[in-house]
Structure formats: C-alpha cells, structure tokens
Amino acid sequence: MMYSWAVRMLEARCAVLLEQDKECVAIPTSSEQMRSNSSLHRTAMLDLFRDNVERLVLEHSSPSSLNRNFLHEDAINVFISADFFAAIHLPNRQGMRGRVISAGDAFSGTLSINKKSIKAERARTITSSADIDWWTRSAANKPYTEVHFAPAWRIYDVVLDASDNEKLEIDSPLPWHTGPFELKKIDTLTGEIVTDETAKEGVIAFGAFTAIARAGGAYAMMNNAWPVNFGEDTGPNNYGTRTQPVVIASESANVIYNSSKIFEGTAGKQDFDTKWLVRRVAPITIVDGGNITIHGHFGDAEAARAGRSNKQRRSFIPVDTALYYDIDFRKTTVSSSSNMYLRTAAIFSRKQGYNQLGWSHENSFSARHQGSVSHEGSRSTKVKYSAGAKLNVSLLAEFRGTIYSTGWDATPYTLFAGIAPTALYFTRD
C-alpha cells in the first residue's frame, strides 16, 4: 500500500515536470502495473483460502455415511461465507456461482440447470488424507454397482448468467444439491439482502449453490439395494426396508414329550434348521483393487422386529444383540444333552470364497443354556481384492440343532439371530 501510494505521488510529480519540459526519472513499476499485480496477488490468496476452506470441510465430513449429503452439517454456511468473502474483494467472483463436489470421473463436467446445459470450469483438485470411494451405476433408478477409488476430490466451479430473483434449480440426476437458488442484491457491510432502506453503496449481486456428484460410502452400498419381499432368488428382508435391511431368525416355544411319536424316535425332541437370507439386488464390481477394508455398523435388530410387527420389544434381549439363546433344558433319562448352533453375518462372496462380518455360537449342553453375543456396534475386516473382482453381498440369520424335552416336562426355549446393518461400506489403504 505504501509503495502504491508513493508511485502515484511520483507519477503526479513526473506529470508536472514533463509539462515544464524537465526530466523525470522513470518509475520501475507503474501504478497501473501495481494494480494489476495487486489483483493477481489478491486472487491467488483468495484461491488458496478457498481451497483450504474446502479441504478443511471435506476432512471433517463423513464420506462413508449413509447420507447422500455426506458434508459436515456446517459445510454450506461455511462455503457461502467463503464465497461471499471472495466476492467482496474480487468483482469477477460476484454474481451466481456454485461448486460441484466429485471424485474420479463421477461428474461429466456439464450441469443441467432449468433445462439448460451449463459447462463447468476445469476441475480443481483437493487432496484427501485417505482414498475416496466413488460409485457408478447403469441408470439413475438402479442401485450402484461399480466402486472405484481416487486419491483426491475434484471440485468444479460453475458460473451462471442469472437475473435478480430468477428461480434456478439443478435438473441433473445428482446424489444431492442444495435445492432452488437465486441471485440476490447483498449489502457487503451486513451480509444481508438489500432492502429499500439499504444504502446504495457497498451492494453486490451474489448467489451460491453446492451440489454433490459423487456417490459413495454406505449410501452407494445400501440405498435402494435390498429386496423386501420373500422369494426363492432373493430371500426375505423380513423386518427391514430397501435401504435399511434387517434379517432375523427367531423362535420361542416349548419342546414337549409326545408319546404318540415314540416309535418314530422323535417323542421327546425337536430338530431345528432355520435359515433366512437376503441378497443385495445387484452384485458389486471392485473396479480398482487393493487392500480394502469392509466396514459394518449395526443397530438393534430386535427393536426393528418389534417395530415392524407392532409388538413390544423383548427387554431381556440386549440392544446390541446379534445372537440370543435361552434353552431351559435339564439332563434326564430321555436325553443327556441338547445342542444348538446360531449364526448371523454380512457375507461378501466371490469366486475364491467369501469374507464376512459375522458372529456365531455353538454348544452342546446338559443344563439350562442361556446367553447372548453382542455385535458391539461395529466390525470390520481387511481383504485384498484384485481389480475387477465381483462380490455378491448377502445378510444371513440362522440356527440349527436339536433340543430335547426335559423328561416328561416341556423344555421352553427362545432363539434369536438377527442382523440390522445401519451402514456397510468400503475403504482402501
């Protein structure tokens, strides 16, 4: 600032000397060049500020979440504030502007707004502390089926010619955007929309929007990806939805001694072989291989059963239960023991075998057998997948075994195997 002031003073002095046909020492950098340099430096600093704001927001967001808008809850307000700050200092940042957040090739670079095709500016790269998964699918109404990984975010700036108060909205089938937007006159001193009482000085035209073109995390893995009907090909998603599947095998009754079946050898026993399975409606292709971790977060399957069937939640089953069993068996002359195997799992199968996030319990017992296995909220496993590996994902709940009556008396039992994933997703080292 001092140099710029001094240059203007010297230029004014030179103008006077030249009028008097006197010599004037040439100034190395003119005031016009100073203004140009200052504008370039200011632009560079504000670009760096914007990039660091975006990096900070993305590092504090949740790209693996079930929410298609994985950004931090304060992200949009932070973006608007940063864009408004730039607009105050750079006239070319005023008007209607937006950003599209993407990764890899998830975004084509063209956005449809009010049925008009708008070409975005060249993508800016924002490095990430971890690889970002981004998914593709065959059509907008289909589940995502191909998962890629990228080392950085790609941010596309979009500049629009818009009239004041013109209602605008994105038509492109993106995972998420901020909704309708419009250009407003804003008071730079207060940041408020101009009113009749606002002074005419310090007013700029400003509008901003944010869109997300990258689908990933649990949203891409789970959204509308699970059948809810019974069928031979897909199995039952018996207490869940197309996005939040729940699979439960549960039974509560008594094994009673039935003398009429004494010659069949089943008078005082009951065999169990119950299995429920739901498969994701489409397989997944790991386009970019590597050391990939499968993550799962799990909720209260028993609460889902109670809610969907309009029944009370059974309080004796802990909220974090994957498996529960209570078999009130006693050793008698009819049988010295009973046995039971219970299992529940999220299974990721391929040609070479399968990996799972699962829990199991197996025991042979001669007295009352009671207990539970907790899913503890989450579980993960690391797998090395080759590029192009195809996975079929399914959820399983099962129990099998034999329970005998306690002599002539009934053996009451409760068996429960349930899985209710709230999020399933991949990360790559």
mmCIF file of all heavy atoms in Angstrom, residues 60 137 153 419:
data_model
loop_
_atom_site.group_PDB
_atom_site.id
_atom_site.type_symbol
_atom_site.label_atom_id
_atom_site.label_comp_id
_atom_site.label_asym_id
_atom_site.label_seq_id
_atom_site.Cartn_x
_atom_site.Cartn_y
_atom_site.Cartn_z
ATOM 1 N N HIS A 60 -13.470 -32.905 7.517
ATOM 2 C CA HIS A 60 -14.350 -33.030 8.680
ATOM 3 C C HIS A 60 -15.745 -33.511 8.289
ATOM 4 O O HIS A 60 -16.673 -33.439 9.087
ATOM 5 C CB HIS A 60 -14.436 -31.696 9.421
ATOM 6 C CG HIS A 60 -13.200 -31.368 10.212
ATOM 7 N ND1 HIS A 60 -12.071 -30.835 9.624
ATOM 8 C CD2 HIS A 60 -12.901 -31.533 11.527
ATOM 9 C CE1 HIS A 60 -11.138 -30.666 10.552
ATOM 10 N NE2 HIS A 60 -11.600 -31.085 11.693
ATOM 11 N N ARG A 137 -23.387 -46.521 -11.687
ATOM 12 C CA ARG A 137 -24.491 -47.452 -11.905
ATOM 13 C C ARG A 137 -24.971 -47.325 -13.342
ATOM 14 O O ARG A 137 -24.645 -46.371 -14.043
ATOM 15 C CB ARG A 137 -25.628 -47.167 -10.924
ATOM 16 C CG ARG A 137 -26.154 -45.731 -10.975
ATOM 17 C CD ARG A 137 -27.184 -45.497 -9.905
ATOM 18 N NE ARG A 137 -27.614 -44.101 -9.828
ATOM 19 C CZ ARG A 137 -28.505 -43.647 -8.955
ATOM 20 N NH1 ARG A 137 -29.049 -44.481 -8.086
ATOM 21 N NH2 ARG A 137 -28.837 -42.375 -8.940
ATOM 22 N N TRP A 153 -10.311 -35.236 -4.152
ATOM 23 C CA TRP A 153 -11.597 -34.703 -4.571
ATOM 24 C C TRP A 153 -11.400 -33.868 -5.826
ATOM 25 O O TRP A 153 -10.327 -33.307 -6.054
ATOM 26 C CB TRP A 153 -12.200 -33.830 -3.468
ATOM 27 C CG TRP A 153 -12.485 -34.564 -2.200
ATOM 28 C CD1 TRP A 153 -11.714 -34.578 -1.074
ATOM 29 C CD2 TRP A 153 -13.628 -35.375 -1.920
ATOM 30 N NE1 TRP A 153 -12.294 -35.361 -0.107
ATOM 31 C CE2 TRP A 153 -13.473 -35.861 -0.591
ATOM 32 C CE3 TRP A 153 -14.758 -35.739 -2.655
ATOM 33 C CZ2 TRP A 153 -14.406 -36.687 -0.003
ATOM 34 C CZ3 TRP A 153 -15.692 -36.565 -2.054
ATOM 35 C CH2 TRP A 153 -15.505 -37.031 -0.742
ATOM 36 N N ILE A 419 -29.560 -59.480 12.267
ATOM 37 C CA ILE A 419 -28.579 -58.517 11.785
ATOM 38 C C ILE A 419 -29.316 -57.326 11.184
ATOM 39 O O ILE A 419 -30.223 -57.485 10.367
ATOM 40 C CB ILE A 419 -27.603 -59.165 10.779
ATOM 41 C CG1 ILE A 419 -26.479 -58.195 10.429
ATOM 42 C CG2 ILE A 419 -28.319 -59.676 9.546
ATOM 43 C CD1 ILE A 419 -25.309 -58.863 9.711
#
